[in-house]
Amino acid sequence: MADRPQPAVFSIPPVRAFSDALVAGVLAQHGSDRMALARGMILVPNNRAGQSIRDAFVRQAEHGLLIPRLVAIGDSELEERAGAAFDAIDDSPLPPAIEPLQRQLILARLIQQDRNVDGAEAMRLAVDLARTLDQMIVEDVSPAKLVELDLSGELSTHWNVSLDQLKVILELWPTELQRLGQIDLADRRNRQLRRVAEVWRTKSPDCFVIAAGVSTGAPAVAELLACVARMPRGQVVLAGLDLEISESEWAEIGGGEAGSAIETHPQFHLHQLLARMKVGRGEVRHWKWSGEIASTSKRARAISNAFAPAEATQNWVELKKVDRNLAGVTAIELSSPAEEAQAIALAIREAIEGQGKTVALITPDRDLATRVSAHLGRWKIQADDSAGQSLAATPNGTLLLLLAEAAAKDFAPSALLALLKHPLIKQGEGRRIWLDQVRRLDLVLRGPRPAPGLAGVAQFLTAGDTRTQPRRSELQQWWAEVVAMLAPLEHMGRESLSGMISILREAGRALASDALWSGQAGRELASLVAKLERGALETPLDVSHKGLPQLLHQLIGSVAVRPDFGGHPRVFIWGLLEAKLQSADFVILGGLNEGIWPQLPAPDPWLAPRIRRELGLPSLERRIGLSAHDLASALGAARVLLTRSKRD
């Protein structure tokens, strides 16, 4: 394959709607031949970005067209696999990727063998261990390098203990994968991308290939993008690369020859990507096509100056007015998150009164998003919240958690009543009679606490003075029916994890029938319970019934239930991941408080910061730079509102 003399790398500034500008350029270059357009391929960072580009094609299609294939690079943090088109690149199949929950269970078992901790705590540590393992795989850091490190005497005792335990687990992990005939998801993605790059270097595809909006600097991704940029019909289009920043500031971001890199800068990950692609910033060109939604070049310069490295902020006082022009950007500060949510809802309601105007709230604060949705609901405005809702906050998830909580607390009055009052229990005609009995039980239990267990409540109902005896007697027959449904929960302490999950499943079915598994949340819960029950049977984990609620809350809380289509067509609520490559006429950036946006870096209990530097892994603060890039990209909308609360 003959490489291009200059790599075809372009950038779309944040003041243009990325997806619309990209599609305008694709149609201008390839739209005249509809079949050539259909044979083309666009590589996107994840499935959400692919949906945004697909929507842009729909908006710009005049008489209908066959759009190019949209293939996701995949993201291990989102548990997304690379597109199936990568598997079909040759005839040698790769081993399947291990399921995330199965991997977490196996890692938790290995942790439990090395540490004397309950299964719930082992599962929590397994999440952090899996994240660290993925980072090592993505950055091509071999576990052997960890063994070679000699930092004796330079780390505190607990870090040395964690490092020793990590070495032991990483020695056992490949054996577990080999036994299963599977590989890590991040490892499989690396192999896929490198295999595609190798094939394309030998023979480039007979269609155009565009890598759009991919920004991760992972070595395997950079190798593929470097190949695409040098193919005769390949292009790489970056989102929000700052081409106006001075060379000295650009060098400072990357660390220069002697300094340290500024990982918290919004341009750092793009700097790293270009360096690994062996492309100079001077070789990157402007994407000359633009979408319908666009701001001004003045805004782009203002954004660039606002996010200058710390050493360059001394130049702010010398900036011309045109270089700090933020016309169209408004900021408001409210006294509390409740007022902030109300103000955002009012701004959204006002914005959609304009004909055809779209409005999006971008925030990492799920509490703020929930409050805004509630306010909008009062005006019959159903926002499309693409970030979804935690399964633990749905009635289906809370019922399973309350069952585990009641069993763990030996049916203490507060836990028992919270369970029996749950809205999914005894739905239908018998619901009113059921709640009447629960209210009577609530009144009876207000006093001395009964003995533990269901038998303790039964004994409490048969005892008592003559004044309360009639009310207690009324409950005895009903309570016998309740005991029949809840009795299996009392034996959970003698069961394995798989057995306990099976008991919870049957108890939930007895109390709520099919309502527990109905709807989208019910289907997500059923899938999680089935995987956990099967995985715990294959990978035994020592979990006490007292620690089961903690384990379930962690697992159920990590599942997002995304709404079906049918919300307001012009109102959107996006998290930071969902907002990538998206655009709207009016963008509201909410929750701009320290610790929320940017979020506090998640701690790594396995590797000390010094070890991460020695291994070449990203620092924990790199996420701050990614959050800053999200903010800078969103500031390019035609109209922007920034909100924060004084008191959180």
Side-chain angles (χ1 to χ4, degrees):
M1 180 187 76
D3 289 347
R4 280 178 165 169
Q6 181 181 5
V9 183
F10 302 86
S11 176
I12 297 178
V15 294
R16 298 191 208 166
F18 182 90
S19 297
D20 291 305
L22 174 74
V23 169
V26 172
L27 292 177
Q29 296 177 84
H30 310 286
S32 58
D33 186 344
R34 291 177 177 265
M35 295 311 297
L37 181 67
R39 287 193 297 269
M41 181 185 299
I42 300 178
L43 308 181
V44 296
N46 52 52
N47 292 323
R48 297 187 184 102
Q51 182 61 49
S52 174
I53 294 172
R54 187 178 294 110
D55 293 342
F57 271 109
V58 172
R59 286 193 295 269
Q60 299 189 36
E62 296 180 359
H63 305 292
L65 48 80
L66 295 173
I67 67 174
R69 287 172 293 169
L70 298 170
V71 183
I73 294 291
D75 191 333
S76 57
E77 291 190 15
L78 296 175
E79 296 180 0
E80 282 191 359
R81 289 160 169 76
F86 291 150
D87 276 326
I89 199 70
D90 61 26
D91 297 328
S92 56
L94 291 171
I98 188 171
E99 289 294 327
L101 181 56
Q102 184 184 14
R103 179 171 77 154
Q104 186 180 351
L105 285 167
I106 296 174
L107 291 175
R109 180 172 56 104
L110 295 177
I111 292 171
Q112 206 168 36
Q113 290 174 357
D114 196 64
R115 294 189 182 189
N116 186 23
V117 294
D118 184 72
E121 176 64 11
M123 287 288 280
R124 186 189 68 81
L125 290 170
V127 174
D128 297 314
L129 177 57
R131 186 186 302 118
T132 299
L133 181 60
D134 282 340
Q135 289 176 348
M136 294 178 68
I137 293 172
V138 168
E139 294 295 329
D140 287 342
V141 176
S142 170
K145 189 174 180 181
L146 190 65
V147 177
E148 296 169 0
L149 281 179
D150 183 15
L151 297 176
S152 55
E154 298 184 35
L155 299 175
S156 58
T157 303
H158 78 280
W159 282 123
N160 283 320
V161 171
S162 295
L163 183 59
D164 291 339
Q165 292 170 338
L166 181 60
K167 291 176 181 177
V168 172
I169 293 171
L170 292 183
E171 287 177 3
L172 298 174
W173 179 238
T175 305
E176 292 288 338
L177 289 176
Q178 188 175 9
R179 176 179 63 85
L180 296 170
Q182 298 174 325
I183 57 178
D184 287 298
L185 177 61
D187 183 23
R188 193 173 195 277
R189 185 184 73 152
N190 281 356
R191 297 190 195 186
Q192 285 177 300
L193 301 184
R194 288 198 164 104
R195 187 169 64 172
V196 171
E198 182 180 354
V199 171
W200 283 353
R201 275 194 293 266
T202 304
K203 181 183 178 182
S204 61
D206 57 357
C207 63
F208 72 85
V209 179
I210 299 175
V214 180
S215 59
T216 175
V221 176
E223 287 179 29
L224 177 60
L225 264 59
C227 174
V228 171
R230 292 170 174 85
M231 291 193 314
R233 303 188 67 188
Q235 293 175 320
V236 174
V237 185
L238 303 176
L241 175 67
D242 192 347
L243 298 178
E244 306 299 329
I245 193 172
S246 67
E247 286 298 329
S248 60
E249 292 179 24
W250 181 254
E252 186 180 349
I253 293 170
E257 296 181 359
S260 58
I262 309 176
E263 294 189 56
T264 56
H265 194 277
Q267 294 291 312
F268 173 79
H269 62 292
L270 295 173
H271 188 290
Q272 183 186 59
L273 175 61
L274 289 177
R276 289 178 172 175
M277 289 174 61
K278 296 181 173 57
V279 174
R281 189 174 62 121
E283 297 178 282
V284 181
R285 290 166 278 171
H286 286 282
W287 185 257
K288 63 182 180 180
W289 297 277
S290 177
E292 294 181 1
I293 306 173
S295 186
T296 64
S297 57
K298 296 178 182 178
R299 176 83 62 79
R301 292 199 297 274
I303 294 172
S304 175
N305 290 322
F307 287 94
E311 294 297 328
T313 54
Q314 60 184 347
N315 300 327
W316 282 351
V317 295
E318 302 172 2
L319 289 178
K320 300 177 182 178
K321 186 176 181 179
V322 70
D323 291 334
R324 48 187 172 86
N325 188 317
L326 285 173
V329 178
T330 307
I332 58 173
E333 190 176 52
L334 290 308
S335 62
S336 67
E339 288 191 9
E340 183 181 7
Q342 191 170 19
I344 291 173
L346 287 169
I348 292 175
R349 182 182 179 183
E350 179 188 24
I352 60 175
E353 291 178 357
Q355 187 66 29
K357 296 295 183 182
T358 57
V359 57
L361 166 63
I362 302 176
T363 179
D365 188 348
R366 296 307 309 153
D367 291 336
L368 178 63
T370 302
R371 284 178 168 177
V372 172
S373 294
H375 282 298
L376 293 174
R378 294 165 55 197
W379 302 314
K380 309 300 182 185
I381 301 172
Q382 184 66 37
D384 180 11
D385 188 351
S386 60
Q389 182 184 26
S390 171
L391 182 57
T394 64
N396 309 71
T398 55
L399 177 54
L400 200 70
L401 292 173
L402 288 173
L403 282 166
E405 192 76 23
K409 293 185 176 180
D410 292 327
F411 301 97
S414 59
L416 176 64
L417 291 170
L419 170 63
L420 298 179
K421 293 176 182 178
H422 193 278
L424 291 185
I425 293 180
K426 297 298 178 183
Q427 287 188 343
E429 296 180 359
R431 172 73 176 171
R432 183 182 62 80
I433 299 174
W434 175 271
L435 287 180
D436 287 342
Q437 297 291 63
V438 174
R439 291 188 187 99
R440 291 190 183 99
L441 180 64
D442 189 354
L443 293 173
V444 167
L445 291 177
R446 295 180 184 182
R449 182 170 178 166
L454 296 173
V457 178
Q459 182 182 5
F460 181 82
L461 293 178
T462 58
D465 53 37
T466 55
R467 183 177 62 83
T468 59
Q469 185 58 41
R471 181 176 290 170
R472 299 186 187 201
S473 300
E474 293 175 356
L475 289 168
Q476 290 179 17
Q477 182 178 354
W478 172 78
W479 179 248
E481 298 175 4
V482 175
V483 169
M485 292 183 283
L486 298 182
L489 296 175
E490 290 196 299
H491 307 298
M492 285 177 49
R494 300 195 294 268
E495 295 287 341
S496 64
L497 175 58
S498 180
M500 287 191 289
I501 298 301
S502 177
I503 290 174
L504 288 179
R505 172 170 49 78
E506 292 303 320
R509 181 176 297 161
L511 287 168
S513 187
D514 292 336
L516 179 59
W517 317 112
S518 64
Q520 190 172 0
R523 291 190 293 273
E524 292 283 358
L525 182 64
S527 175
L528 176 63
V529 168
K531 290 179 182 178
L532 180 58
E533 191 174 351
R534 183 176 61 253
L537 191 62
E538 298 171 354
T539 309
L541 191 66
D542 186 13
V543 181
S544 68
H545 76 289
K546 300 288 186 182
L548 185 61
Q550 177 188 345
L551 184 149
L552 287 177
H553 197 280
Q554 172 199 323
L555 292 176
I556 294 176
S558 65
V559 177
V561 180
R562 307 193 187 282
D564 295 324
F565 293 104
H568 196 288
R570 294 187 286 121
V571 179
F572 311 98
I573 298 178
W574 296 324
L576 299 189
L577 290 174
E578 292 80 19
K580 290 185 182 298
L581 309 189
Q582 303 269 25
S583 58
D585 297 301
F586 179 31
V587 172
I588 302 173
L589 308 178
L592 291 170
N593 287 61
E594 190 74 24
I596 297 176
W597 191 347
Q599 292 178 307
L600 295 175
D604 183 353
W606 292 98
L607 293 178
R610 169 70 186 279
I611 299 176
R612 296 182 69 89
R613 288 196 300 271
E614 294 289 337
L615 294 176
L617 292 177
S619 71
L620 298 179
E621 289 73 25
R622 183 173 296 187
R623 286 189 172 275
I624 296 176
L626 297 175
S627 296
H629 187 263
D630 294 333
L631 180 63
S633 300
L635 283 172
R639 182 184 169 204
V640 181
L641 173 64
L642 308 170
T643 70
R644 70 176 300 273
S645 58
K646 296 179 181 178
R647 176 177 55 83
D648 183 0

